[in-house]
Amino acid sequence: MSQKQTIIGNALPNIPWEPKPQQCSDVLWRSEMNPIIQRDLIPCSNSIFNSAVVPFGGEFAGVFRCDDKGRSMRLHRGVSKDGIHWNINNDPISFICDDEEIGKFVYGYDPRVCWIDDRYYVTWCNGYHGPTIGVGYTYDFKEFYQLENAYLPFNRNGVLFPRRINGKYAMLSRPSDNGHTPFGDIFYSESLDMCHWGCHRHVMSTTSEGWQSTKVGAGPIPIETTEGWLLIYHGVLTSCNGYVYSAGAALLDIDRPWKVLYRTYPYIISPQKIYECVGDVPNVVFPCAALHDAPTGRIAIYYGAADTVTCMAYTTADELIAFIKDNRM
Amino acid sequence: MSQKQTIIGNALPNIPWEPKPQQCSDVLWRSEMNPIIQRDLIPCSNSIFNSAVVPFGGEFAGVFRCDDKGRSMRLHRGVSKDGIHWNINNDPISFICDDEEIGKFVYGYDPRVCWIDDRYYVTWCNGYHGPTIGVGYTYDFKEFYQLENAYLPFNRNGVLFPRRINGKYAMLSRPSDNGHTPFGDIFYSESLDMCHWGCHRHVMSTTSEGWQSTKVGAGPIPIETTEGWLLIYHGVLTSCNGYVYSAGAALLDIDRPWKVLYRTYPYIISPQKIYECVGDVPNVVFPCAALHDAPTGRIAIYYGAADTVTCMAYTTADELIAFIKDNRM
Amino acid sequence: MSQKQTIIGNALPNIPWEPKPQQCSDVLWRSEMNPIIQRDLIPCSNSIFNSAVVPFGGEFAGVFRCDDKGRSMRLHRGVSKDGIHWNINNDPISFICDDEEIGKFVYGYDPRVCWIDDRYYVTWCNGYHGPTIGVGYTYDFKEFYQLENAYLPFNRNGVLFPRRINGKYAMLSRPSDNGHTPFGDIFYSESLDMCHWGCHRHVMSTTSEGWQSTKVGAGPIPIETTEGWLLIYHGVLTSCNGYVYSAGAALLDIDRPWKVLYRTYPYIISPQKIYECVGDVPNVVFPCAALHDAPTGRIAIYYGAADTVTCMAYTTADELIAFIKDNRM
Amino acid sequence: MSQKQTIIGNALPNIPWEPKPQQCSDVLWRSEMNPIIQRDLIPCSNSIFNSAVVPFGGEFAGVFRCDDKGRSMRLHRGVSKDGIHWNINNDPISFICDDEEIGKFVYGYDPRVCWIDDRYYVTWCNGYHGPTIGVGYTYDFKEFYQLENAYLPFNRNGVLFPRRINGKYAMLSRPSDNGHTPFGDIFYSESLDMCHWGCHRHVMSTTSEGWQSTKVGAGPIPIETTEGWLLIYHGVLTSCNGYVYSAGAALLDIDRPWKVLYRTYPYIISPQKIYECVGDVPNVVFPCAALHDAPTGRIAIYYGAADTVTCMAYTTADELIAFIKDNRM
Amino acid sequence: MSQKQTIIGNALPNIPWEPKPQQCSDVLWRSEMNPIIQRDLIPCSNSIFNSAVVPFGGEFAGVFRCDDKGRSMRLHRGVSKDGIHWNINNDPISFICDDEEIGKFVYGYDPRVCWIDDRYYVTWCNGYHGPTIGVGYTYDFKEFYQLENAYLPFNRNGVLFPRRINGKYAMLSRPSDNGHTPFGDIFYSESLDMCHWGCHRHVMSTTSEGWQSTKVGAGPIPIETTEGWLLIYHGVLTSCNGYVYSAGAALLDIDRPWKVLYRTYPYIISPQKIYECVGDVPNVVFPCAALHDAPTGRIAIYYGAADTVTCMAYTTADELIAFIKDNRM
Amino acid sequence: MSQKQTIIGNALPNIPWEPKPQQCSDVLWRSEMNPIIQRDLIPCSNSIFNSAVVPFGGEFAGVFRCDDKGRSMRLHRGVSKDGIHWNINNDPISFICDDEEIGKFVYGYDPRVCWIDDRYYVTWCNGYHGPTIGVGYTYDFKEFYQLENAYLPFNRNGVLFPRRINGKYAMLSRPSDNGHTPFGDIFYSESLDMCHWGCHRHVMSTTSEGWQSTKVGAGPIPIETTEGWLLIYHGVLTSCNGYVYSAGAALLDIDRPWKVLYRTYPYIISPQKIYECVGDVPNVVFPCAALHDAPTGRIAIYYGAADTVTCMAYTTADELIAFIKDNRM
């Protein structure tokens, strides 16, 4: 195993894991425990979904989208010994910020968490005269510090790469508008200081028909592999009864990640289970985080279901990469 | 108990009632028998929901929205010994009306019933060159008399107060447009004769985000309490997959009911059960009536679920009023 | 002439008048002096249009829609010796109102003025949580008193009848929505006290095609004639480049004015002159007032052009009534 | 039975059949085995629905809409011994076509199959610069030949009659636009050569309210009966949360099928089961085929549910025709 | 000249003509007499535009779109000695039709007239449950006979070729929807009998940006030349203030006219004159007819301006064809 | 004069200038020579408008929006001796760019030119998978170099400040969407290297009613004055017939330019002249550049009219600043 690791990264021996069911022929398989987080895990929550999880101190920590019962979108922190059973804080995260105007919380949703260098960076969709990408960090999942917003509005799904690329921080995002945005491509941006961003490049468009024809957006933090950056992303189809959110996967060039090497024609998961089809927003699967264990190639994906609950699905790097290549557009 | 009754009104010892489940921390709890009225209770019905119930002769009577299998919206009368098991008439109500043009039935939906003085007034969304508020009355739930429409189109959710205020009849309503109306506030109007209406006042707006951000409308007949008029109302959020109807509560000033004293930031009930999330219109809870028993403060709420079936939920006046104050916007 | 007056009303010997040009075959003819009021007649005005004029003390007075240079919609008073050359007050009308909430001015536009009994009533589109019909009166065109709004929002083009009908005040209006309203019929309402309104009746719908297919609304105060109420009204057609406002005419039953006796299939005036086709809103003619002289049957119509300037057109009662009958739908 | 056959056609003694449940008072009853075809019956399928079945060689064959996991719409062939358990080919149908431009497959969905003279004609919604009606045929359900598209875009739901009428081929269709088409009536067209179509006649409009108020479209191949052509069709209602697809039935004049003799006011089936209400498109029942047995009058209807799975429902010709007459609009 | 005629056709020595102004560098030049037909040429007309003219008996005849003062769209016939000064009949054309349902006139607009074999065929946008292509003919411009509509709704701008191609009648058209249609390509269809149409082929799409980015539609009858069919067509751009209609030109393959040989990147005329920019629909030039004189190559184009008046512009075949080739996309 | 210069900047003694007409009471007055640049100044141009002019070598130079006759949006360079009569290059600017993907020209419009340090920076709305802000520079108005786009799409109206603020380059912009954008506020961003941008701040919102209620965007390069940055900006009102573009002015804090000190309630110019009301987009005035002469305070504003031609208007710094303060919101 040590000779040929596909994932470039650390071991995570305690990664949550369930073997693939025998009759399953899909590249991803769902947890038998889904939804692993119910909508009402904490007293004030209407729903808990589209949340970000990382290894932390031998256990796990995360930032969670918890819409409250006023249906306001809030971010909460949580910890877990096994990545499955979570202890989420009852109070929203209160970011420490030098600038009063930037630090004023309006709404926050769909967080991602990314370890770079010495800390955990958090990015999320942040309300500042419209949705944009909020950026912050924490060392300990207790105190969170907020930096400048990365971009002008309107933007969503800001996802950092887990290391500098060509000497710069790198982020994927999905420029949008101020509503439910019936369009959206993935772009790539660079920064020297995590404050000023530029050198924007187009990464990935929607397709003319199918599950990713309305918009596409990055999901979990990209996973570095020997085959390129492994990106799991969401795509949206517009039916006569609204949006359907599914997920696919792609491989991006290691040094020029705005170059797509391969991208799946089919989805790798779509809303089919009752907890994905029924809830506050029917027919949504929305991955926001993925744990991975380099020696075994195991990947555990956290995804929101029906904008209501949090679920998990599993795959391995080799299986998923082979699938991407075999089913490319 | 007699010294300190919160509800100003009569006793209703046979009010339908189920005690709060032990593990329940919500201010409202659903009936274990939900849905108490199935969609096909009468042969012609596609659905029975958004219906109004009152005490009547020691038992219960009501006016029911029964969409038929052509999906036309009709009003039917029904009676029940216990408020749970209903005998609904197979034929729609045929209103007796002096004016042929007004009395011509086009469509009727979302009725409310309100005892004032000596009779049961019925208000409903009435088709007359667009939706407006139809007004009628009955003494016996057998013969129904139709008066003039209260307002010009376009209007919905006309809800009478159960007594004159400052010497005038009073009604809440939600001015709208001729379609699915992506906006709507609650207004208050007065009448000396239940025919001409004026002195219109704005009561309550939508909020900038959350469950009541698209429109709000009055639900059951307001309940007079020592703390003000207790109003249960619905609010609508627009997701990318359509409207979500939840309910909240407010206290209105007794003498100037267009002054909102308190109003809940969170919803008190939202569509979460399968019969609320799945049906002709997914993700709808819509309260239209509430029984109450002054000595005990018990309140039994009737609400439509998914525009398909009729359900019940319970609370008490003291618990709900405390919740409103503790969770005000 | 005295034996057979078509118009039931007073003489107005100084009515503005220009004889019909010889080559003109239309039922209405425009003033040679159009536009009689330029957009910048007063220093603050962006535009002056859709305004109401009445005989006053042997001369003329009026309430004018003057959008200021912030493009806010305001009402100003004005006086004129000849009905053509106007002296408009630089400051907007400040209504005196008993109720602070109702009297708070948000916006006002498209006024009408109507003499009933002992005073000049003013109605206009009044901003109160959406457009509705404001009602006020003046005795002297110096002090203006504001009453309750006639209806709930959303409404526009409230036009009083110049006398009680069946003992009640009577008003036409056009229920609408909170935007540019791509629909609209004329309704009739009654009031005993100019405060509470009811007995609403549908008067006139749009047509399936043509100049009045999007919406219709009452124009000047109806003129009482031996043939019925003579109503000049506007109609709107939606082209691929926006709305086109034209005007037609109808005769309404004297005692039941919601019964349309005749209504023109063609328009009587449509935007064709450069000052009607070019301006803040291209392609608009919008009549809001008409002077009439009973002995001669002369009618002088004031109309807004392109939502920018005020114009006049002329006809006679006999000629217009004959046209309505000859060109009815 | 032999004396009085309502259906004019052949015996199909092995028609799939389940007797009407005792407690059922509806004119159609669902199969206990629903959904008879699951969404994942073949490896590549996201969903299998809106499919066409015919008797074939003593058994059954069909053309199936199988959306793949890229959510592209494809047509597959299948065979079955009993009409319930299906063997669907893993590869889409590859039509043989003389003209390269016409034969280039873009997308195909909602097929119908119709035996005329000597072969099975297939019609479907075919992508050619927009949706139009593709036409092809097969003798053996192995090789499929493609002809010219019947019409210009935009069109859907092309349904052939099973014999020439007045010497011409005849087809129903629903002209539409290039999106989700919030309108749609049924039209009738004729052809001498299955290539050029003309003599278009309007058949059936939507209604002002109810289940068929947004659009209507033909479903299975019309069944010839002594009472006229028996047509099962779909209708769509627009709720605030999207379209609801139900089905009704009509009788068309035998010689002038664009004349509707009777048409049901109520639906005969609407989405009420969980597999009809939850799936890729919630709240859809969409019949595309019907088997019938002339001697017994049995009719077995195939319909898509929630744009996800294939279901069956049953009735008899006599029962359905009586229902149509008793419940006509 | 006789050796090298670009236009394949007859001489028309009395073609209206004005030489190109010296300072003009455009390929088309407008008539100094524009608009040649005013909006009020006949008493009932609101506007006269988008009209079709042909040589007739040594003089000229035509079918004219005359919207009446109810803004209904009607077709009138007219004759002219010089093609400039027109005598248009006051009454709309009353088509003689065998079939009552087809012959019932609802609305008709944007006619074209095309001589084939022995008669003048007229095609127009005809109201039959939506806009489609009406077809008729006349021998004498006095009696007009109506045939079956060519297509199902929704269609506009049906333009016949002036001879059979490969033995069949041929028509261009622009499939559309039932409103102002923000899309539209040109298609080609064939018929053996001028009744049944098929073998539909896509001809020309809109472009991603520019004057022809919203929709394109055929204009005058294509002119046969040694270089292919010379087609003048309209294109539409959507500005923030509505549609702008310009015109371009193309050359189509003689035998397979759905193959575009060349097509102009720039417009050849766009709305720039006051009579093109101001009127019932601002910013419209819309060519519907072209006279041509083979020996000189002169072409006189009739076009509607601002949907209000009729204008002319001139070019020559050689100059236009050279322009098309030099300025192709 | 030398003691008290309001404008902080250079003398420009040859600034184009026309004295204020005597009867004019407006703060801005138009040039008598308007439009100073006609739509067809160069052979390929459909229109020339929304263009940027600067002093250059004792004369004037500029970058011009020239839409070609395909209605593609292009940038051209031009020079002028007097700022009024222009020599515009027939060919679009071809930017020199290191990066092939960024340098590929798709479309460019609404340029601004700003001298900073040692060169002329050009910003414009640049097509790169949607509109964003292109950045380039020139030393000589002959060779133009293109840098990275400043932001992700979707953005328009990027306007640089003429010097570093707090050590950073500073730019105003108006985030938008991918269409005609019915919303838009002004934001402020900073950059150390003219490549990476951050520290985004909200500057100015739309108002609830009036000329600036739909969107606002920066116009010419802000002018440094003793009272703050003098910003002329455009605002848009949505009428029922489309957008109306007017212009206003504001004073921004010198060191924190996202703080608005004063802002005009009225417009300072709105479309009222025929060349502003009639053209490719009716009712547009759109300032993009302003020359100023510090000693006299003279300001000469270049603005596009009706998206068709280029015009000029004049004011002085003192007069405009006084107006802003006297007419603030």
Side-chain angles (χ1 to χ4, degrees), chain D:
Chain D
M1 201 186 315
S2 59
Q3 292 140 288
K4 185 190 154 290
Q5 282 189 188
T6 302
I7 294 176
I8 300 170
N10 297 325
L12 184 65
N14 61 337
I15 187 172
W17 190 248
E18 300 172 53
K20 187 172 186 168
Q22 284 217 319
Q23 79 288 3
C24 176
S25 62
D26 297 323
V27 67
L28 249 68
W29 56 98
R30 291 170 175 86
S31 170
E32 297 287 334
M33 292 173 284
N34 276 353
I36 63 155
I37 303 179
Q38 295 291 349
R39 65 189 304 166
D40 57 355
L41 182 66
I42 57 174
C44 68
S45 65
N46 166 75
S47 47
I48 306 176
F49 61 107
N50 300 1
S51 302
V53 166
V54 287
F56 176 69
E59 300 184 344
F60 300 92
V63 176
F64 295 84
R65 173 172 175 180
C66 297
D67 289 2
D68 68 22
K69 284 174 179 157
R71 295 293 302 269
S72 292
M73 299 175 285
R74 299 286 178 260
L75 303 176
H76 289 238
R77 62 195 168 89
V79 291
S80 169
K81 287 195 186 313
D82 60 5
I84 304 289
H85 301 86
W86 285 89
N87 184 1
I88 297 180
N89 202 280
N90 283 349
D91 296 315
I93 293 171
S94 179
F95 286 93
I96 301 158
C97 185
D98 292 341
D99 186 283
E100 188 183 2
E101 184 174 341
I102 295 301
K104 187 185 167 201
F105 190 85
V106 177
Y107 57 74
Y109 61 86
D110 295 356
R112 272 76 167 187
V113 179
C114 184
W115 172 265
I116 312 177
D117 297 345
D118 62 348
R119 70 192 77 180
Y120 300 94
Y121 284 96
V122 186
T123 54
W124 68 94
C125 184
N126 187 41
Y128 176 74
H129 302 275
T132 184
I133 305 303
V135 184
Y137 62 88
T138 184
Y139 295 104
D140 56 9
F141 282 89
K142 288 180 185 156
E143 293 196 322
F144 290 78
Y145 300 88
Q146 187 173 357
L147 303 171
E148 291 282 338
N149 295 316
Y151 311 117
L152 288 164
F154 305 90
N155 209 314
R156 290 172 173 112
N157 294 301
V159 177
L160 286 165
F161 283 78
R163 66 164 171 84
R164 283 185 186 75
I165 298 174
N166 306 320
K168 293 192 192 173
Y169 296 107
M171 198 194 296
L172 300 172
S173 71
R174 196 196 73 194
S176 62
D177 67 12
N178 62 351
H180 288 306
T181 316
F183 60 86
D185 289 2
I186 301 176
F187 285 75
Y188 176 89
S189 304
E190 300 177 350
S191 177
L192 286 159
D193 56 6
M194 198 60 92
C195 174
H196 303 81
W197 294 84
C199 300
H200 313 288
R201 289 292 179 280
H202 183 262
V203 178
M204 193 188 285
S205 291
T206 56
T207 55
S208 61
E209 63 171 349
W211 69 272
Q212 49 187 324
S213 54
T214 297
K215 48 186 171 177
V216 289
I221 303 302
I223 299 170
E224 191 168 7
T225 78
T226 55
E227 304 288 328
W229 292 103
L230 175 58
L231 176 69
I232 295 166
Y233 67 97
H234 65 263
V236 177
L237 174 153
T238 302
S239 86
C240 63
N241 282 358
Y243 290 167
V244 178
Y245 282 79
S246 305
L251 286 168
L252 311 180
D253 185 85
I254 280 290
D255 295 320
R256 300 193 302 168
W258 58 91
K259 299 293 181 189
V260 178
L261 305 177
Y262 303 97
R263 176 182 172 189
T264 53
Y265 164 76
Y267 57 72
I268 58 173
I269 185 169
S270 86
Q272 304 200 359
K273 298 295 179 186
I274 193 76
Y275 51 82
E276 295 161 346
C277 295
V278 175
D280 281 350
V281 183
N283 286 342
V284 178
V285 298
F286 196 92
C288 279
L291 300 171
H292 46 85
D293 175 48
T296 61
R298 288 174 173 175
I299 299 174
I301 299 165
Y302 291 81
Y303 70 95
D307 274 18
T308 304
V309 292
T310 303
C311 295
M312 294 194 74
Y314 303 99
T315 188
T316 67
D318 287 345
E319 188 164 355
L320 182 53
I321 289 170
F323 182 88
I324 295 170
K325 292 182 176 175
D326 291 347
N327 293 278
R328 64 177 174 269
M329 295 201 323

Side-chain angles (χ1 to χ4, degrees), chain A residues 273-292:
Chain A
K273 297 295 178 187
I274 193 77
Y275 51 82
E276 296 161 345
C277 295
V278 174
D280 280 350
V281 182
N283 287 342
V284 177
V285 297
F286 195 92
C288 279
L291 299 171
H292 46 86

Side-chain angles (χ1 to χ4, degrees), chain B residues 255-275:
Chain B
D255 294 320
R256 300 192 302 168
W258 58 93
K259 300 293 182 188
V260 178
L261 305 177
Y262 302 97
R263 177 181 171 189
T264 54
Y265 164 76
Y267 55 73
I268 57 174
I269 185 170
S270 86
Q272 303 200 2
K273 297 295 179 187
I274 193 76
Y275 51 80

Side-chain angles (χ1 to χ4, degrees), chain B residues 17-22 24 29-30 32 298 314:
Chain B
W17 189 249
E18 300 173 54
K20 187 170 184 168
Q22 285 217 320
C24 177
W29 56 98
R30 292 170 175 84
E32 296 287 332
R298 288 174 174 174
Y314 304 98

Side-chain angles (χ1 to χ4, degrees), chain A residues 200-201 256 258-259, chain F residues 95-106 126-129 146-149:
Chain A
H200 312 288
R201 289 293 177 281
R256 299 194 301 167
W258 58 92
K259 300 294 180 188
Chain F
F95 286 94
I96 301 159
C97 186
D98 292 341
D99 187 284
E100 188 183 3
E101 184 173 340
I102 294 301
K104 187 186 167 200
F105 190 85
V106 178
N126 188 40
Y128 176 73
H129 301 277
Q146 187 173 357
L147 304 172
E148 290 282 338
N149 295 315

